[in-house]
């Protein structure tokens, strides 16, 4: 099930990711042929899987304090039907209630996070919403297991990693995509894994349409190779977040987001088709 989470009130710089779900959907139209014969696996996703677009989570603009509960209930309702959710953000905070719903079903999760930022800056105010602190809260609440979690593409400093493994952007360049994928798989093992892809993991040359761009990021080729090489992980859910289409007149960022979403479906299909 693909579902949009059009929320961006937790961003700390440029808003606009609430428009991400519709932009990613529009860009995904051109990927229908790829889904017929997914590259490089050649899986026919339309034949081998039952895929549905569930639409967007309804979020009341006048009641921001209800956001966490609304997203959690939205995900919980779908997960009760034993589906795999691919969520389209929205700023990265939306991953927090999605993790809550997935952890309720699967227990503590391994997190595989592609991002320019760690999003683990300390924040012990449970009523505060921020797209840079939600994974700190998730670790503290036991939603994710840091020892079996890994962040890829990081290129901003955070002194306290909370025990999460980090493969920063320079390490990706020096190790190569194949070696990075093998290291990711070794860290995750067979634990239930939630994969969160912040589009700002990509260098702004490849994805300028995002709220907090940081230079020196992954190329589209590197990201695609890593995602394809990690097939076999025990992925139970995932999201693509922080696509803000109004900052990218070319549409390249939404196209990248659509490709990532397709790759996430392929990763899930790899252990089930």
């Amino acid at each position: 099930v693909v579902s949009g989470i059009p929320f961006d009130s937790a961003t700390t710089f440029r808003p606009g990711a609430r428009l991400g779900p519709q932009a990613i959907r529009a860009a995904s139209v051109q990927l229908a042929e790829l889904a017929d014969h997914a590259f490089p696996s050649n899986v026919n996703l339309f034949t081998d899987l039952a895929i549905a677009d569930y639409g967007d989570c309804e979020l009341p603009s006048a009641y921001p304090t209800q956001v966490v509960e609304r997203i959690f209930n939205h995900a919980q309702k779908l997960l009760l039907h034993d589906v795999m959710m691919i969520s389209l953000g929205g700023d990265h905070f939306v991953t927090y209630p999605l993790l809550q719903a997935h952890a309720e079903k699967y227990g503590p999760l391994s997190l595989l996070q592609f991002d320019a930022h760690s999003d683990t800056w300390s924040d012990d105010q449970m009523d505060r919403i921020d797209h840079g602190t939600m994974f700190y809260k998730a670790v503290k609440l036991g939603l994710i297991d840091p020892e079996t979690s890994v962040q890829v593409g990081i290129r901003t400093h955070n002194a306290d990693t909370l025990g999460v493994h980090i493969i920063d952007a320079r390490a990706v360049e020096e190790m190569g995509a194949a070696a990075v994928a093998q290291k990711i798989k070794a860290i995750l093992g067979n634990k239930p894994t939630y994969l969160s892809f912040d589009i700002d993991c990509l260098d702004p040359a490849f994805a300028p349409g995002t709220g907090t761009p940081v230079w020196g990021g992954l190329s589209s080729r590197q990201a695609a190779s890593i995602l394809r090489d990690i097939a076999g992980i025990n992925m139970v859910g995932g999201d693509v977040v922080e696509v803000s289409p109004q900052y990218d007149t070319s549409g390249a960022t939404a196209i990248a987001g659509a490709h990532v979403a397709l790759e996430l479906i392929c990763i899930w299909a790899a252990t089930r088709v």
Side-chain angles (χ1 to χ4, degrees), residues 80-161:
L80 287 174
H81 293 279
D82 292 327
V83 303
M84 192 274 291
M85 282 186 71
I86 296 295
S87 301
L88 310 177
D91 71 44
H92 212 160
F93 179 80
V94 304
T95 304
Y96 178 65
L98 292 171
L99 281 171
Q100 288 180 313
H102 283 78
E104 180 183 72
K105 181 176 180 66
Y106 297 103
L109 301 160
S110 294
L111 175 69
L112 173 53
Q113 173 190 351
F114 289 80
D115 208 323
H117 315 85
S118 67
D119 296 338
T120 54
W121 283 278
S122 61
D123 183 359
D124 293 310
Q125 302 176 65
M126 296 313 298
D127 60 344
R128 185 178 182 277
I129 296 176
D130 187 331
H131 72 160
T133 64
M134 68 287 175
F135 291 141
Y136 174 88
K137 298 174 187 285
V139 170
K140 295 297 183 180
L141 290 175
L143 303 178
I144 58 178
D145 173 17
E147 293 185 4
T148 58
S149 296
V150 57
Q151 298 170 329
V152 182
I154 303 298
R155 50 196 188 277
T156 51
H157 181 68
N158 185 351
D160 188 359
T161 66

Side-chain angles (χ1 to χ4, degrees), residues 20-45:
Q22 73 179 52
I24 294 171
R25 286 189 179 99
S28 74
V29 172
Q30 65 153 335
L31 304 186
E33 183 178 348
L34 296 179
D36 276 342
H37 298 284
F39 180 85
S41 65
N42 203 33
V43 171
N44 188 320
L45 299 180

Side-chain angles (χ1 to χ4, degrees), residues 110-112 147-150 165 182-195 230 233-234:
S110 294
L111 175 69
L112 173 53
E147 293 185 4
T148 58
S149 296
V150 57
H165 299 266
Q182 288 302 310
K183 184 172 182 179
I184 290 170
K185 293 172 84 170
I187 293 169
L188 299 178
N190 194 45
K191 286 202 63 175
T193 297
Y194 188 93
L195 198 164
I230 60 172
I233 66 171
N234 183 16

